[in-house]
Amino acid sequence: MPTYHAMFVHAHPDDESSKGAATMARYAKEGHRISVVTCTDGMAGDILNPAMDRPGITERMHEVRAEELERALEILGVTDHFWLGYQDSGYVKGFDGDGSVLPEDCFYNAPLDEAVERLVRIVRAERPDVLVTYPEDGGYPHPDHIRCHDVSAAAFDAAGDPARYPDAGPAWQPRKLYYVGAFNRRKLEVLHRACEERGLESPFTGWLERLDPDEPDRTTTSVHVADFLALRSQALLAHATQIDPNGHWFKVPDEVVAELYPYEDFELARSHVATSLPETSLFAGLDEAVSGGDG
């Protein structure tokens, strides 16, 4: 069985454990190479777990968040990690793209061309088959998530063009670009009903009310991850400053999710190989491409 390399590009430490984490764990277990690029240092994140709000943590936040990320990646089986090297922009409620409300030297306000070249350099050196990032709106309106999309989508196109960033290494074109989000409406509705039927407090009530009922489900690819949900939860908990074990991530037990919606969903945004939708793997179509089937 061929093995492949999927590179996941995330905005902050902890994002890798909340979006596509069980998929990474599954593929790492199956022998594929899984790498993570973290765009920012996460330094603008507050301490969201009351148990970690204690002396000495804030003063060491940069070091603490890096240590948390290292533990999470180890749990998921990710062996290759790269920092893009930018300052966390911070969350601004209702952010509308106005970078003037953010620190001048943050990720969102960094020159786009500079950030794209940094990622292109990593892509060309590491040669992933698949690149995974966020949708156009970032999945939610955090400046760094929006910019993560902008940089990743541009780098996907530029990495294979030898005329773009010629000093960033020999050209390499990833075969597929995916967008990942933690939840789509279908998944939210299934898990919300499960909570109601089991007498559990649903963390999705307000979330569902805010969603546009006419928004189409853009899912093209659903990866079965029932056996890896526990690893995802462990990786989340490794980010102890950011993840409250009593918070919404853990309101629905993993065994309930595994029974009713054992998938992580992705949107295939671009592909240089032939594939049939819907897919059950991020690597669908790559076997045929390797054997010459894509022409």
Side-chain angles (χ1 to χ4, degrees), residues 118-189:
R118 289 189 188 186
L119 184 55
V120 165
R121 189 176 298 275
I122 295 171
V123 169
R124 288 178 176 174
E126 304 303 325
R127 299 164 65 91
D129 299 290
V130 171
L131 201 66
V132 185
T133 190
Y134 309 142
E136 294 91 339
D137 63 359
Y140 83 110
H142 189 300
D144 288 333
H145 285 245
I146 295 168
R147 187 49 48 125
C148 183
H149 162 82
D150 296 342
V151 171
S152 302
F156 178 85
D157 293 331
D161 184 350
R164 303 277 305 276
Y165 310 111
D167 296 330
W172 171 260
Q173 180 60 62
R175 300 302 188 97
K176 302 171 86 175
L177 174 68
Y178 284 96
Y179 300 154
V180 62
F183 295 94
N184 58 39
R185 186 179 189 89
R186 179 164 44 102
K187 184 173 186 176
L188 290 174
E189 289 175 341

Side-chain angles (χ1 to χ4, degrees), residues 20 28 60 122 130 141 159 176 185 193 199 220 223 226 237 255 261:
R60 296 179 54 250
I122 295 171
V130 171
K176 302 171 86 175
R185 186 179 189 89
R193 286 197 302 270
T220 62
V223 180
L237 290 170
E255 55 268 25
Y261 204 98

Side-chain angles (χ1 to χ4, degrees), residues 48-217:
L48 302 178
N49 177 6
M52 291 297 291
D53 191 4
R54 55 180 191 249
I57 298 297
T58 300
E59 294 80 0
R60 296 179 54 250
M61 185 61 81
H62 188 280
E63 179 182 350
V64 168
R65 294 211 69 182
E67 291 171 350
E68 291 174 344
L69 176 59
E70 184 178 1
R71 287 195 293 272
L73 294 175
E74 182 178 2
I75 290 166
L76 296 172
V78 177
T79 57
D80 300 289
H81 176 257
F82 309 92
W83 294 100
L84 204 60
Y86 288 99
Q87 176 184 322
D88 190 337
S89 302
Y91 177 67
V92 177
K93 187 175 182 179
F95 181 70
D96 61 1
D98 180 8
S100 69
V101 302
L102 305 171
E104 185 177 346
D105 55 352
C106 70
F107 179 43
Y108 189 86
N109 284 330
L112 182 61
D113 198 54
E114 173 195 278
V116 172
E117 182 173 8
R118 289 189 188 186
L119 184 55
V120 165
R121 189 176 298 275
I122 295 171
V123 169
R124 288 178 176 174
E126 304 303 325
R127 299 164 65 91
D129 299 290
V130 171
L131 201 66
V132 185
T133 190
Y134 309 142
E136 294 91 339
D137 63 359
Y140 83 110
H142 189 300
D144 288 333
H145 285 245
I146 295 168
R147 187 49 48 125
C148 183
H149 162 82
D150 296 342
V151 171
S152 302
F156 178 85
D157 293 331
D161 184 350
R164 303 277 305 276
Y165 310 111
D167 296 330
W172 171 260
Q173 180 60 62
R175 300 302 188 97
K176 302 171 86 175
L177 174 68
Y178 284 96
Y179 300 154
V180 62
F183 295 94
N184 58 39
R185 186 179 189 89
R186 179 164 44 102
K187 184 173 186 176
L188 290 174
E189 289 175 341
V190 168
L191 297 181
H192 178 68
R193 286 197 302 270
C195 290
E196 291 184 326
E197 292 167 358
R198 288 163 169 78
L200 301 172
E201 178 187 355
S202 173
F204 308 119
T205 303
W207 201 340
L208 283 167
E209 291 171 352
R210 292 191 297 271
L211 290 180
D212 180 356
D214 298 321
E215 179 71 23
D217 183 355

